[in-house]
């Protein structure tokens, strides 16, 4: 088991959970905006990837909401470790989906989506950096 940051008190955990949710909100929100703005000629693969990213973000948000109460009440080192492990796996899936989206957008000449996809990528990087604060 990894070392748990001893300065991570209950207040810090609350702020961390808030910031994690904010990063996920950006990921889900930009995915939804892109889906809403898609034109009919947009490749189906791109829409499927966006729906997958949005769904993944919502699933992770539900996971955070499920373990948040336990983390807010003086969590054990094991609870923090388990939360960090789960969220680290989530970042890998989010990153993989975003890389696939960026590649698909480039291959299908949907360059107008790139700025928002790069914002999603930035939010995932922020999410990852926040997870690193847990250990």
């Amino acid at each position: 088991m990894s070392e748990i940051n001893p300065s991570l008190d209950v207040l810090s955990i609350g702020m961390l959970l808030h910031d994690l949710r904010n990063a996920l909100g950006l990921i889900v929100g930009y995915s939804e905006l892109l889906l809403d703005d898609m034109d009919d000629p947009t490749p189906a693969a791109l829409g499927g990837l966006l729906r997958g990213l949005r769904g993944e973000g919502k699933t992770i948000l539900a996971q955070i909401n499920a373990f948040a109460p336990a983390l807010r009440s003086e969590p054990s080192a094991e609870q923090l470790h388990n939360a960090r492990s789960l969220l680290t796996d989530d970042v890998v899936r989010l990153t993989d989906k975003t890389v696939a989206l960026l590649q698909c957008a480039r291959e299908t000449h949907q360059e107008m989506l790139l700025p928002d996809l790069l914002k999603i990528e930035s939010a995932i990087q922020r999410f990852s950096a926040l997870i690193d604060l847990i250990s």
Side-chain angles (χ1 to χ4, degrees):
M1 188 180 320
S2 62
E3 288 286 321
I4 300 300
N5 185 343
S7 66
L8 200 58
D9 59 22
V10 174
L11 179 60
S12 297
I13 290 171
M15 292 185 331
L16 179 62
L17 290 168
H18 175 80
D19 290 345
L20 287 168
R21 287 184 182 114
N22 281 342
L24 282 171
L26 289 171
I27 295 163
V28 171
Y30 275 110
S31 299
E32 289 177 348
L33 285 172
L34 289 170
L35 282 166
D36 288 346
D37 291 345
M38 286 178 69
D39 295 329
D40 287 335
T42 304
L46 196 57
L49 288 168
L50 279 168
R51 282 187 289 283
L53 182 65
R54 180 187 60 191
E56 189 72 38
K58 288 181 176 184
T59 297
I60 296 166
L61 183 57
Q63 290 171 345
I64 290 173
N65 289 337
F67 65 66
L71 294 183
R72 284 199 180 107
S73 60
E74 298 191 30
S76 68
E78 182 179 1
Q79 287 172 313
L80 287 171
H81 175 75
N82 291 342
R84 184 183 193 287
S85 294
L86 178 68
L87 293 172
T88 299
D89 293 343
D90 292 337
V91 166
V92 171
R93 287 192 306 278
L94 287 171
T95 300
D96 289 347
K97 288 181 186 315
T98 304
V99 167
L101 267 166
L102 286 164
Q103 181 179 353
C104 185
R106 288 182 180 113
E107 289 174 355
T108 59
H109 308 289
Q110 301 292 318
E111 288 84 7
M112 71 281 202
L113 301 178
L114 293 177
D116 288 333
L117 292 175
L118 292 173
K119 289 175 186 173
I120 291 171
E121 184 179 53
S122 178
I124 293 168
Q125 291 168 353
R126 173 73 177 140
F127 187 79
S128 180
L130 290 166
I131 292 167
D132 289 342
L133 297 175
I134 296 175
S135 67

